[in-house]
Amino acid sequence: MSLNLPVLRNFPVESLDGPAVRALEEAAGRCRGNAVAMVTLADSGHPAGSLSSMEMYLAVYTAANLTPENCSEIDRDYVVISHGHTSPGAYAVLAELGFFDPMDAIAHFRQCGSPFQGHVERDVPGIDWGSGNLGQGLSAAVGFALAQKSRKNSGRTYVLMGDGGQTKGQTAEARRMAVKEKLSNITALVDWNRIQISGTVDSVMPADLPALWKADGWEVLQSDGHSFPELYAALKKSAANSVPTVILCRTVMGKGVSFMENSPEYHGKAPREDLYVQAMKELGQDPSLLGAARKKRNSGPMPAGRHVAPLSGNLILGDPATYGADKKTDNRSAFGSALADVGKKNYGREGGTPLLVFDCDLAGSVKTGDFAKNCPDWFIQAGIQEHSTATAAGAASTAGVVSLWADFGVFGLSETYNQQRLNDINSASIKTVLTHVGLDVGEDGKTHQAIDYVGLLRNCFGWRLVVPADPNQTDRALRWALGEPGCICLAMGRSKLGVVVNEEGEPLFAGSYTFRYGRADLLREGKNGTIFALGAMAERALKARQILLDEKGVEIAVYSVSSPLSPDDDALRAAARTGRILTCEDHSVNSGMGSILAARMAELGLSCAFRSVGVHRYGESGASPDVIAAMGLDERSLAKAFGELLEK
């Protein structure tokens, strides 16, 4: 750690003087040597881009209000590294500033079990967003800036980016979001070295970078990316601007090492040890560092990193509404009403947590309009820009707000799966509400029928999924989700539903009912078999049960499954004792609830006659009841399918 670096937070001087510049340049030399040692010892990594970004890293991290002491707090500056493969540069600078021991990063870079992974991750103190996929960093910065703005925090967000990722569509989406939301608290820096893996930027995919940013309304500054006085002046100017600012930093790929400079070869290649020695000598650093690091890698204790936990907010969740047995409405309207109620109870409340709701031009369909009307400063209209919205909402949820994004199933998850996967990796707490899932959006046809959402979230390790059966359960599940940490998806169809009632005709998901994740709710008891129904399929399952009772005289137990990713073992054991299980879902039969329950039964050693029915091909375009019947998922088809089980 250097004790001589200038403190540049809040830009205390008009310009950098000679001693400050010399101290930063000496630090840059040490950091370059450490970065080269990292990739050489690991025999993998991205050295050249790390070297070209080094002054950018040092300038930003010394100017930002981000310290070893406050890096896990909420109200501070945020730094996003979009070109996450330049992790050696980031780790070297953070170590130089005292976030951790430099030798920990050098010795354990890209070692299994180490927090110093090949791409930046939040396990490393000082890293605010894990960004392995290029083009997502600016979206995360938008999320951080929105959180700061809603919390009335004066902090800034800095995002460092590579030039090769500037042509990605998500970057353009984020540029527009930042300007539309007047996020003058964002400064972006682009490492403009004009080299990427496959060659020069102009040969791979040319783009006029100043024109792109200017066209979207950003203030565009240019700087020598290796000059600390110019970088400081540009950062200082950006902090005073009334619009978002980008600094295009002219740099040299592989700066400081002759055989790496201006060559794409070392974009993602570690030097051989003889070339390592040459590089260290050219950088004025000690080549013996590698031997000491190797000894520590082979025998020293593994650094622990930091534990990052998902956040929960401080919201008044209110009392749930109750929809009577005679009420027929859609789950999305129940969601919208509950969201508006929670919003009204918290909007402007002193000491409370902001609740940011993101929309992609679908407020009327996803029922966030009442919230927007009642809580205008918390409503983020992002337009038809789903990729950036998914990341921005996820990042905001790690920065002191509760964030919710409502969208159609095919847009909010199928289209943005990679972004939602990274939200999970980053321990975000985004609440994603998917409407129009399954075949229920019948007339819109197969492109809009989200029949894969269970399977997609099944691939993740932190996401929880709730598929409510009726408006009462929807209301309660939404309030539960808003109070929980972690990524939670609430999925529902479009059509109006009847309220699920008990055998006395009273609303079942009302009164003393409390939503509990992972519980399968027993709707009817039965001794001749069991139906597990996903979400809104519960209504059809109950009708199928009545058909079987009337026509065959058999009593079938019916469970409503709202948490398909977390099987209820007790319910499965009870169902297996009835001898027959039918699962039904408005979802792909290959990857949905039925396959999950079958796998869990095998793990528990349970066996009985078993059949899973669901979506087995892309659906037609037509009225929802007709499309569902054509797929064999209406109540008459369910009764027939169970009847075939009875014959086994």
Side-chain angles (χ1 to χ4, degrees), residues 59-355:
V60 166
Y61 275 110
T62 53
N65 178 24
L66 175 61
T67 67
E69 293 74 29
N70 73 7
C71 64
S72 294
E73 298 175 3
I74 293 173
D75 292 327
R76 54 174 173 83
D77 288 352
Y78 287 79
V79 176
V80 182
I81 299 168
S82 187
H83 56 330
H85 59 277
T86 64
S87 58
Y91 299 157
V93 167
L94 288 169
E96 183 76 16
L97 295 173
F99 284 79
F100 42 82
D101 186 334
M103 190 58 80
D104 281 348
I106 298 168
H108 300 289
F109 177 62
R110 290 189 171 219
Q111 184 177 19
C112 185
S114 166
F116 299 103
Q117 297 196 16
H119 291 73
V120 294
E121 299 292 346
R122 293 184 69 201
D123 297 342
V124 175
I127 300 297
D128 286 326
W129 192 253
S131 50
N133 303 67
L134 289 174
Q136 298 201 28
L138 188 59
S139 302
V142 167
F144 289 136
L146 285 168
Q148 289 169 315
K149 182 178 177 182
S150 68
R151 290 178 57 82
K152 297 179 172 54
N153 179 280
S154 60
R156 295 193 63 76
T157 295
Y158 299 89
V159 55
L160 294 93
M161 314 172 74
D163 51 4
Q166 296 301 300
T167 55
K168 287 196 79 167
Q170 183 171 343
T171 300
E173 291 182 3
R175 285 198 301 263
R176 291 187 287 267
M177 285 182 71
V179 171
K180 190 254 183 181
E181 295 298 325
K182 299 180 173 60
L183 299 179
S184 60
N185 55 342
I186 292 182
T187 298
L189 297 92
V190 178
D191 184 355
W192 201 7
N193 59 43
R194 294 180 167 84
I195 301 286
Q196 55 189 107
I197 289 178
S198 299
T200 66
V201 168
D202 287 342
S203 66
V204 175
M205 184 52 64
D208 186 339
L209 298 193
L212 286 177
W213 290 85
K214 286 178 183 177
D216 287 325
W218 285 63
E219 173 79 9
V220 178
L221 306 177
Q222 294 195 31
S223 168
D224 179 344
H226 300 305
S227 167
F228 284 111
E230 288 194 28
L231 284 168
Y232 178 81
L235 288 169
K236 188 174 188 297
K237 186 176 189 305
S238 75
N241 282 345
S242 59
V243 295
T245 303
V246 62
I247 306 171
L248 301 177
C249 303
R250 300 181 301 276
T251 62
V252 175
M253 189 73 158
K255 174 70 172 176
V257 178
S258 60
F259 61 85
M260 291 187 188
E261 287 192 352
N262 293 314
S263 171
E265 181 181 2
Y266 284 93
H267 186 289
K269 173 184 173 181
R272 301 188 312 269
E273 290 201 22
D274 58 332
L275 289 176
Y276 159 78
V277 173
Q278 177 185 335
M280 294 297 276
K281 288 181 178 179
E282 291 181 5
L283 293 169
Q285 304 302 312
D286 185 358
S288 68
L289 176 63
L290 187 64
R294 179 175 285 116
K295 182 178 179 180
K296 182 176 176 65
R297 186 181 185 93
N298 294 333
S299 61
M302 188 76 72
R306 66 172 175 177
H307 174 67
V308 177
L311 300 179
S312 58
N314 174 25
L315 293 176
I316 296 174
L317 300 176
D319 297 322
T322 294
Y323 297 85
D326 58 342
K327 179 69 173 179
K328 194 168 187 176
T329 188
D330 50 319
N331 285 348
R332 60 191 172 122
S333 291
F335 148 71
S337 296
L339 179 66
D341 180 58
V342 174
K344 283 190 291 186
K345 287 178 167 58
N346 290 276
Y347 192 59
R349 182 170 67 91
E350 189 70 27
T353 302
L355 170 57

Side-chain angles (χ1 to χ4, degrees), residues 314-430:
N314 174 25
L315 293 176
I316 296 174
L317 300 176
D319 297 322
T322 294
Y323 297 85
D326 58 342
K327 179 69 173 179
K328 194 168 187 176
T329 188
D330 50 319
N331 285 348
R332 60 191 172 122
S333 291
F335 148 71
S337 296
L339 179 66
D341 180 58
V342 174
K344 283 190 291 186
K345 287 178 167 58
N346 290 276
Y347 192 59
R349 182 170 67 91
E350 189 70 27
T353 302
L355 170 57
L356 298 187
V357 172
F358 293 77
D359 180 73
C360 287
D361 195 35
L362 289 171
S365 296
V366 300
K367 305 300 182 182
T368 55
D370 286 345
F371 179 93
K373 181 173 62 177
N374 296 328
C375 311
D377 292 337
W378 287 356
F379 183 74
I380 311 299
Q381 177 53 263
I384 307 171
Q385 302 191 129
E386 289 85 2
H387 295 92
S388 188
T389 303
T391 302
S397 73
T398 70
V401 303
V402 175
S403 62
L404 181 147
W405 176 36
D407 209 328
F408 286 11
V410 291
F411 309 140
L413 182 58
S414 303
E415 181 178 347
T416 58
Y417 173 68
N418 179 55
Q419 287 75 12
Q420 297 287 27
R421 175 178 176 271
L422 282 187
N423 283 334
D424 189 27
I425 288 173
N426 277 289
S427 298
S429 289
I430 181 176

